Amino acid sequence: MMRPLLRVTGLKVHLRVGRNVVRAVDGVDMVVHAGECVGIVGESGSGKSTLARGAARLLPNLDLEEFSGEILFDGRDLGAIPPAELRQLRRDGGFSMVFQDPLSYLNPTRRVGAQVAEALPDATANPRERVHALLREVGLPDPALVSRRYPHQLSGGMRQRVLIAIALASEPRLLFADEPTTSLDATVQLQVLETLRRLHAERAMALVIITHDLGLVAELCDRVYVMFAGQIVESADVFSLFEHPTHPHTRRLISLSARGEVAA
């Protein structure tokens, strides 16, 4: 069997909240193979976003009570890589992340094109043309015009596509998408999801979708991990999960999804 692109073993992320310690992720194992789409699903507070950010080494140190376990990306131990080398790995086509709420992650004082250009690898030839190509690739019309605009001049769906373009600028082999459609209306959600589906197929990159929506998982993913209270309670291929769920929490999520509800 081929070595996983990402292997997480025994990951613990315990957060300090006042005088309390929250076991946001409590001994989780996860693997992602090259080219596959994996879903991490669970209700709000289950630890799914913390798991993804922990695996990508994007957690703030000040809030951590404990961060332990092993994270291997293409065989490299991310826990043993100095911060500067880790940043370079992200810029050189390792992995990147699309966050929810683009306004929190886009600089309101800089034009969109400059922010996409900043994420390009250092040796990129013709960076302006590359920025326009990325904006076009994520489905934005008139990339030259969009690149000159500020985030507040774009719609929510357009801002989310800009975040996807920034994440793709380094040509990542693995892309994390953390609740990428949460704040969008239904029509724009479908457009953004179709963009992610197309990019996943065209680039043959691994994609990890973090969501509370099992319907989204059914549409996009090959395999799924179900999280509850900081732990993986079930993992399976998508067909098996829906046909033969084994954990009560999974059955509850499927029931909510069948009624058109989500465990938010």
Side-chain angles (χ1 to χ4, degrees):
M1 182 176 293
M2 295 179 60
R3 180 177 69 188
L5 181 62
L6 176 72
R7 181 186 292 277
V8 176
T9 306
L11 182 64
K12 291 184 179 181
V13 183
H14 296 175
L15 305 176
R16 196 179 311 114
V17 181
R19 296 183 178 181
N20 300 318
V21 174
V22 176
R23 298 172 179 260
V25 177
D26 200 24
V28 165
D29 298 341
M30 179 179 72
V31 296
V32 179
H33 293 275
E36 74 171 339
C37 183
V38 173
I40 304 175
V41 66
E43 60 192 355
S44 295
S46 62
K48 57 188 185 296
S49 290
T50 304
L51 168 59
R53 294 180 188 224
R57 296 293 308 276
L58 288 172
L59 290 172
N61 292 328
L62 290 178
D63 296 327
L64 293 177
E65 175 72 16
E66 180 180 352
F67 183 82
S68 61
E70 184 178 63
I71 306 167
L72 299 179
F73 179 78
D74 200 17
R76 299 179 66 181
D77 183 356
L78 298 188
I81 295 179
E85 189 175 340
L86 186 62
R87 287 193 296 271
Q88 195 61 45
L89 175 62
R90 296 191 185 106
R91 291 184 68 89
D92 290 342
F95 52 90
S96 58
M97 180 172 285
V98 178
F99 300 96
Q100 56 180 307
D101 188 15
L103 279 179
S104 297
Y105 291 93
L106 292 172
N107 188 330
T109 68
R110 301 188 66 204
R111 297 181 192 272
V112 162
Q115 297 187 60
V116 178
E118 190 175 40
L120 293 171
D122 296 332
T124 301
N126 301 315
R128 179 179 296 180
E129 293 181 12
R130 182 61 184 143
V131 167
H132 292 174
L134 283 164
L135 294 176
R136 188 178 301 110
E137 189 176 9
V138 298
L140 285 167
D142 198 346
L145 176 62
V146 171
S147 69
R148 295 195 297 272
R149 290 183 171 171
Y150 293 92
H152 73 272
Q153 296 176 306
L154 304 178
S155 68
M158 294 175 76
R159 288 192 291 264
Q160 190 69 324
R161 290 171 188 268
V162 169
L163 272 192
I164 295 173
I166 291 172
L168 294 175
S170 63
E171 301 285 339
R173 286 175 287 164
L174 171 61
L175 178 67
F176 294 92
D178 186 5
E179 300 278 13
T181 63
T182 294
S183 59
L184 306 176
D185 64 51
T187 300
V188 179
Q189 282 185 20
L190 290 174
Q191 293 171 352
V192 171
L193 290 176
E194 183 55 37
T195 298
L196 287 172
R197 187 207 310 271
R198 174 175 52 80
L199 293 169
H200 167 60
E202 291 176 354
R203 289 176 170 240
M205 67 181 177
L207 178 62
V208 176
I209 299 283
I210 300 97
T211 183
H212 56 259
D213 187 351
L214 270 177
L216 187 157
V217 167
E219 285 289 324
L220 288 179
C221 298
D222 305 306
R223 292 189 301 110
V224 58
Y225 292 96
V226 180
M227 286 200 74
F228 179 70
Q231 298 183 330
I232 299 291
V233 296
E234 186 164 359
S235 64
D237 66 87
V238 169
F239 178 81
S240 298
L241 187 90
F242 280 90
E243 288 296 312
H244 307 290
T246 61
H247 195 275
H249 186 66
T250 306
R251 291 195 288 270
R252 174 176 174 268
L253 293 177
I254 292 173
S255 176
L256 288 171
S257 180
R259 299 199 301 267
E261 304 174 25
V262 292

